[in-house]
Amino acid sequence: VDTADEIGDLAQTINTLAGRLERVEQERHHLEQVRNDFLANVSHELRTPLTAMQGFLEALQDGLVEEEEARQKYYAVMYAETLHISRLVDDLMDLMKLENNELTLAKFPVDVGGLIEKVALSFRPEAEEKGIEITVERPDTLPKIYADKDRIVQIMKNLVKNAIKFTDEGTIALSAQTDGNWVEIAVSDTGIGISADDQERVWERFFKVDRGRSKKNKGTGLGLAIVKELVELHDGEVTVESEPGKGSRFVVRLPVLDDQRMIS
Ligand code: ADP
């Protein structure tokens, strides 16, 4: 009986191990898939602007562009494509650092109210070109947060850039307010909106709702992935509410600085 029990126990152990091995194998397979998808996405995002530039350069080299005005246009487009590649590389570097915990924050007490005013100011010309008004709403005083100012600006810029990109005409409202121990920054637009299913996916690397349409928007699909990582690195959270055809509202919540006396 003892031997039979032992064999039974052994069989069970083997089963458990086999199950574990299978799960490890599945996880390995999944990671490989994620890595391959990532590389395919990076290659695609790089190849698109490079192909365009090659085409323009060939035409110029072959002397096919005779008019000076047309030539200038070609240069401008090629320059824009190099900017796109730079942006992609910068975004990728940021993401890598974030994911490897290599991004260090230079944290100081930060006044969010002043920052949103500055961000609004810097985007007004671009917004006005599309007939979009940028408004700011904030109380006279807000508790400070303990944060890396440049990264908070990067977060806001990414959200406002998207709001402008996906709004044809209307208003973008920037606001800051206190909610208990949080400072809440919101970027609302009256743009095309995002469906409930896509709202869950916009944080994924390279995700774009409509690849066809986004193409002319020249995004990298990395902006919101970076926003989410940066907000979480500040112990905050970011959420989206949206209704297709009506607009979107992105809310960033950041913890207020415990000791407001540290205000510089
Ligand atoms: P992208 O570089 O394409 O803007 P993001 O990561 O910033 O990349 O955003 C991912 C996708 O989420 C966008 O391509 C777009 O489809 C959708 N999206 C983001 N912000 C908005 C917005 N304010 N309104 C509508 N759609 C948005």
Side-chain angles (χ1 to χ4, degrees):
V1 177
D2 279 356
T3 319
D5 277 355
E6 270 169 28
I7 290 175
D9 285 351
L10 203 60
Q12 202 167 8
T13 308
I14 289 172
N15 262 336
T16 313
L17 284 177
R20 222 177 273 171
L21 196 65
E22 196 174 327
R23 280 194 298 279
V24 169
E25 177 58 28
Q26 277 168 357
E27 177 67 6
R28 194 192 61 77
H29 183 74
H30 173 71
L31 287 177
E32 200 166 291
Q33 192 102 31
V34 169
R35 181 175 161 278
N36 286 344
D37 286 353
F38 180 74
L39 288 176
N41 274 316
V42 172
S43 309
H44 174 80
E45 291 294 329
L46 283 174
R47 186 178 292 136
T48 311
L50 282 174
T51 306
M53 279 169 59
Q54 272 163 10
F56 287 118
L57 277 172
E58 269 166 26
L60 286 167
Q61 234 172 4
D62 294 347
L64 296 176
V65 197
E66 281 166 13
E67 300 275 322
E68 177 60 21
E69 206 176 311
R71 256 201 305 272
Q72 290 304 326
K73 237 180 233 165
Y74 274 42
Y75 289 136
V77 175
M78 288 195 292
Y79 183 67
E81 297 294 0
T82 64
L83 286 185
H84 179 74
I85 295 174
S86 296
R87 209 162 39 223
L88 182 68
V89 171
D90 287 345
D91 281 357
L92 280 172
M93 293 300 286
D94 275 350
L95 258 188
M96 294 291 170
K97 280 192 221 149
L98 281 162
E99 288 185 0
N100 296 330
N101 291 322
E102 281 166 7
L103 196 130
T104 38
L105 296 177
K107 283 188 171 182
F108 294 97
V110 170
D111 168 36
V112 168
L115 286 191
I116 61 171
E117 294 282 2
K118 276 190 199 146
V119 171
L121 204 62
S122 71
F123 279 104
R124 276 204 183 104
E126 190 182 330
E128 269 162 21
E129 261 176 40
K130 287 187 78 182
I132 299 169
E133 187 195 5
I134 299 186
T135 63
V136 174
E137 198 176 318
R138 63 173 179 114
D140 288 337
T141 52
L142 267 177
K144 298 215 174 188
I145 58 169
Y146 194 52
D148 188 325
K149 193 176 97 196
D150 292 343
R151 296 300 178 179
I152 301 301
V153 168
Q154 184 181 4
I155 291 167
M156 290 193 221
K157 281 187 168 176
N158 273 343
L159 295 178
V160 176
K161 257 189 268 176
N162 279 345
I164 295 175
K165 227 175 355 180
F166 299 106
T167 302
D168 280 334
E169 185 179 347
T171 308
I172 293 169
L174 299 190
S175 68
Q177 62 176 67
T178 324
D179 178 22
N181 287 324
W182 301 87
V183 168
E184 218 174 72
I185 308 165
V187 179
S188 309
D189 65 52
T190 53
I192 61 172
I194 309 164
S195 73
D197 282 349
D198 288 337
Q199 283 171 40
E200 288 178 20
R201 301 198 56 201
V202 290
W203 315 104
E204 292 173 16
R205 301 183 301 198
F206 296 111
F207 179 80
K208 297 177 194 171
V209 167
D210 177 350
R211 283 200 158 259
R213 183 174 46 203
S214 299
K215 218 172 180 178
K216 77 170 184 322
N217 285 316
K218 294 269 187 271
T220 61
L222 296 173
L224 288 178
I226 292 173
V227 163
K228 190 169 162 53
E229 299 257 8
L230 282 176
V231 170
E232 286 173 0
L233 201 58
H234 280 90
D235 301 314
E237 51 191 42
V238 57
T239 51
V240 59
E241 297 155 23
S242 181
E243 205 177 315
K246 289 253 169 77
S248 309
R249 178 179 169 82
F250 286 83
V251 179
V252 174
R253 287 157 61 83
L254 298 162
V256 305
L257 180 58
D258 282 340
D259 186 354
Q260 288 293 316
R261 282 168 305 182
M262 274 178 71
I263 290 172
S264 51

